[in-house]
Amino acid sequence: MPFTYNRTVHFQDTDAAGVVYFANVLGICHEAYEESLETSGINIKGFFSNSSVAFPIVHASVDFLRPMFCGDKLVISLMPQKLGIDKFEIAYEISVGDMVVAKAITRHVCIEVSSRSKQELPDEIIRWLETNRRDAEGAERRKSREIM
Amino acid sequence: MPFTYNRTVHFQDTDAAGVVYFANVLGICHEAYEESLETSGINIKGFFSNSSVAFPIVHASVDFLRPMFCGDKLVISLMPQKLGIDKFEIAYEISVGDMVVAKAITRHVCIEVSSRSKQELPDEIIRWLETNRRDAEGAERRKSREIM
Amino acid sequence: MPFTYNRTVHFQDTDAAGVVYFANVLGICHEAYEESLETSGINIKGFFSNSSVAFPIVHASVDFLRPMFCGDKLVISLMPQKLGIDKFEIAYEISVGDMVVAKAITRHVCIEVSSRSKQELPDEIIRWLETNRRDAEGAERRKSREIM
Amino acid sequence: MPFTYNRTVHFQDTDAAGVVYFANVLGICHEAYEESLETSGINIKGFFSNSSVAFPIVHASVDFLRPMFCGDKLVISLMPQKLGIDKFEIAYEISVGDMVVAKAITRHVCIEVSSRSKQELPDEIIRWLETNRRDAEGAERRKSREIM
């Protein structure tokens, strides 16, 4: 099973059109990424602030299939993938009940913070990528079997 | 026991000083308020968007005792109090472990949305106020007993 | 010349990595869109809240070329394009001085709010699209001439 | 005249109740503070991120007098005051046209960042406090004269 993160839509996430403000959906995906890292044993505080290595997002995209409302119970599933020795990508799927309401991608590169030069992914991220990929593949296999 | 809401500090909550951006602490308190309402059976989506009655905040204040960092496990306790037939106040206390890191207050008035004129608190809010007050008082009594 | 929007990076836009939080860049692009609409004579308050017609974003993407810091003077240029009778797209380019620091796209569909069914773009949006397209084409032509 | 900051209400500032989300008003006040510092010649990027001295907010409060809507043209006036050798306070007044719509206060202490211990206000902040206080007093005097 891919890693999933549960998140209720807060009032602050919404805008005057009565639904979640579009850019906030990417913020919610990032929360799922943080929780997934933490679940795999990574110290979030160090990872995101005091480290010599960082993983800035170089690309993000999001497709909105249905509006999300205050109080909606979102389930965000997360599937990361290694793209090279110094980069990875995460695919997110956001559902409410049986409905997929949005899909997103974030692409990250690994840099050495002071010089901002690219650098190989460290072991803890390699492990996180492998654990979550394997899990996601397991889910894919299970899904194909159910279809057959 | 007063109602409590658990909330991990997200990366998005922080600013370039490395700690939670001050105004975001009030947003986190509002999340606790939303969860408390939902726990008492109130439909959040209707409550915050499609209703003829609303409870806008007319005053808010917050004291910051210690900085909050990405990944910190916040526990927000919430103690609402009726202030009159058309208003109530909520006191929040935010802790990390044994430490109180912030305290806040929001004051709400009940209005009829289209005219924005004041209006008596509806039954579901009266019930929510009573339940949470009683609980909070229970906690106070228990605390005094422990001290004696 | 394409429409441009000037925006200083606020402290609140940043995160604990010391740079603008990725999803906030899309929010800044949306500000440019709002200002462009207003400049063309559209009433923003009505457009975004009290209308029977809305233009929700169905897709957004953003590429980050360089980090943005608190106090940076961003210039966002905006180039909208009609994609069909009921949709349009906006391309944004964000610069600091001579450097392009990010590029983004938002894609919008026109809907009738109560039914959420697709609907033809209204005249005021058609006019906005034509004005800004013409301006952008003028800029393109001027640019080619300068190159030749 | 006190320092003033002009700010249009963005769509992102609003919530599903159709007005500015309460905590965002404090964020808008902080923008006024940043612009005021910059106007007095302080480098904002250094001030808010790379410095050994910081000015965290220890208290904030806000009163909401009228709702603010998307597209509203806010004028935020800012009146700082020294409270001691290591602290100051800023009073904000937010208006739309002739109407005051909100009032807020932020209280700041000066700390040495690595130890987080209190420290005397540096010269550039003393100068900023004096300039803005004098200006505000000028405005007060002019106001009294007009009344008489």
Side-chain angles (χ1 to χ4, degrees), chain B residues 28-99:
Chain B
I28 292 169
C29 289
H30 202 278
E31 293 177 20
Y33 164 50
E34 293 167 41
E35 183 141 308
S36 162
L37 291 172
E38 192 170 40
T39 299
S40 86
I42 292 172
N43 178 289
I44 292 303
K45 183 182 165 181
F47 189 86
F48 283 107
S49 14
N50 303 318
S51 181
S52 59
V53 181
F55 305 88
I57 291 170
V58 291
H59 173 79
S61 74
V62 52
D63 288 285
F64 302 93
L65 310 176
R66 283 161 201 279
M68 290 161 251
F69 299 94
C70 187
D72 275 356
K73 302 295 176 194
L74 307 179
V75 179
I76 299 97
S77 68
L78 173 156
M79 287 140 291
Q81 193 185 353
K82 196 178 166 186
L83 294 184
I85 56 162
D86 54 10
K87 48 178 172 278
F88 63 90
E89 185 177 279
I90 309 172
Y92 309 86
E93 203 171 86
I94 305 183
S95 303
V96 177
D98 286 345
M99 296 288 202

Side-chain angles (χ1 to χ4, degrees), chain D residues 50-132:
Chain D
N50 304 317
S51 182
S52 58
V53 181
F55 305 88
I57 291 170
V58 291
H59 173 79
S61 74
V62 53
D63 288 285
F64 302 93
L65 310 177
R66 281 161 202 280
M68 290 162 251
F69 299 94
C70 187
D72 275 356
K73 302 296 176 195
L74 307 179
V75 179
I76 300 98
S77 68
L78 173 156
M79 289 139 290
Q81 194 185 352
K82 196 179 166 184
L83 294 183
I85 56 162
D86 53 10
K87 50 179 169 278
F88 63 90
E89 185 177 279
I90 310 172
Y92 309 85
E93 203 171 87
I94 305 183
S95 303
V96 177
D98 286 346
M99 296 289 204
V100 177
V101 295
K103 290 177 174 214
I105 283 170
T106 56
R107 200 170 297 141
H108 304 244
V109 293
C110 180
I111 62 167
E112 200 278 310
V113 169
S114 55
S115 64
R116 295 200 78 91
S117 62
K118 284 187 191 170
Q119 168 162 322
E120 278 191 38
L121 296 168
D123 286 351
E124 59 178 9
I125 281 292
I126 299 282
R127 264 197 306 276
W128 170 75
L129 284 163
E130 283 176 357
T131 311
N132 284 279

Side-chain angles (χ1 to χ4, degrees), chain A residues 35-75:
Chain A
E35 183 140 309
S36 161
L37 290 172
E38 192 169 41
T39 300
S40 85
I42 291 173
N43 179 289
I44 292 303
K45 183 181 165 182
F47 189 85
F48 283 107
S49 15
N50 303 317
S51 182
S52 59
V53 181
F55 305 87
I57 291 169
V58 291
H59 173 78
S61 74
V62 52
D63 288 286
F64 302 94
L65 310 176
R66 283 162 200 278
M68 290 162 252
F69 299 94
C70 187
D72 275 355
K73 304 297 177 194
L74 307 179
V75 179

Side-chain angles (χ1 to χ4, degrees), chain B residues 1-39:
Chain B
M1 287 282 294
F3 180 83
T4 56
Y5 170 65
N6 293 289
R7 170 67 149 75
T8 302
V9 172
H10 307 309
F11 189 46
Q12 179 160 27
D13 300 320
T14 62
D15 60 33
V19 299
V20 174
Y21 181 72
F22 82 112
N24 291 344
V25 173
L26 286 170
I28 292 169
C29 289
H30 202 278
E31 293 177 20
Y33 164 50
E34 293 167 41
E35 183 141 308
S36 162
L37 291 172
E38 192 170 40
T39 299

Side-chain angles (χ1 to χ4, degrees), chain C residues 71-84:
Chain C
D72 275 356
K73 303 296 178 195
L74 307 179
V75 179
I76 299 97
S77 68
L78 172 155
M79 289 140 291
Q81 193 184 352
K82 196 178 166 186
L83 294 183

